[in-house]
Amino acid sequence: MNKPQNSHGPATGPGPYSPRTIAGPVLMGVVPGQPLAVAHRAADLAHSLNVKLICAYVDVTSYLSEESDGRVEAHPIDPDGIDDDIEGISAGIKERLGEALDGSGIRWSFATLAGDPARALGQLAESTDASVIVVGTRERGFGARFEELLVGSIAVHLTHRQHRPVLVVPLAPHTRHHRQEGH
């Protein structure tokens, strides 16, 4: 929980702003094949704040349900679906992150979630009291634009569904070419 460092003014009513120490972890959403730039920025932020980094992959091909004994289980949306190797995908992402982050001095962990990415990341952020959620933009191209049109932007959904700040790391920024004089 973020606790006030100093208290200025009365305990009730308006008063001067009192800065708080950021103590919650940085939560980063990851996807297969995501450039490591997102992990690097999230790790930089976690290091700067001296907090843990939680890396979370959300499997959109499954959903969560509560079992009769209280356990929460992930079930595939389509049991006959193409992508039967969610454990392999998750393990591959974790291994790649380990190669990038192990030995960096960053305290980090990995979680696999299920369902709607914005909802799953928001719930994990709430349960861990995350200070900020870090996500990357999609790669440019027609497929990414079409998918965003159909599904929407995870970053936009996050900013509308919960109160934590969302840091969006650009993956392929568009560079403008300026005309040179005389051309």
Side-chain angles (χ1 to χ4, degrees):
M1 179 116 197
N2 299 335
K3 298 185 173 131
Q5 273 189 323
N6 1 0
S7 37
H8 302 285
T12 59
Y17 171 72
S18 181
R20 299 170 184 250
T21 300
I22 295 176
V26 170
L27 172 60
M28 175 184 68
V30 295
V31 295
Q34 183 177 50
L36 288 174
V38 178
H40 293 158
R41 294 303 73 78
D44 290 345
L45 184 57
H47 174 74
S48 297
L49 297 172
N50 194 29
V51 297
K52 182 177 181 177
L53 172 63
I54 300 172
C55 306
Y57 165 61
V58 183
D59 174 22
V60 296
T61 66
S62 63
Y63 67 95
L64 295 177
S65 69
E66 188 170 344
E67 303 298 319
S68 58
D69 62 1
R71 291 178 299 120
V72 176
E73 292 280 326
H75 300 284
I77 292 171
D78 179 6
D80 299 324
I82 304 168
D83 208 352
D84 294 332
D85 189 25
I86 191 60
E87 291 86 11
I89 292 169
S90 186
I93 294 170
K94 183 177 181 181
E95 181 180 334
R96 186 165 184 251
L97 288 169
E99 291 169 358
L101 299 173
D102 287 346
S104 68
I106 301 294
R107 294 173 294 139
W108 72 281
S109 63
F110 181 81
T112 301
L113 309 173
D116 172 64
R119 180 162 305 184
L121 290 172
Q123 289 172 342
L124 183 58
E126 186 65 30
S127 70
T128 61
D129 195 24
S131 298
V132 63
I133 301 171
V134 179
V135 294
T137 58
R138 290 192 173 102
E139 296 285 346
R140 289 196 335 231
F142 177 74
R145 287 182 188 263
F146 185 68
E147 180 183 353
E148 189 163 330
L149 178 66
L150 291 176
V151 180
S153 164
I154 293 170
V156 169
H157 286 273
L158 281 167
T159 59
H160 291 285
R161 291 185 180 172
Q162 48 81 50
H163 65 277
R164 285 170 176 74
V166 177
L167 173 64
V168 182
V169 178
L171 295 178
H174 180 71
T175 56
R176 293 184 179 186
H177 297 284
H178 297 285
R179 296 179 76 186
Q180 294 179 358
E181 275 187 45
H183 294 272

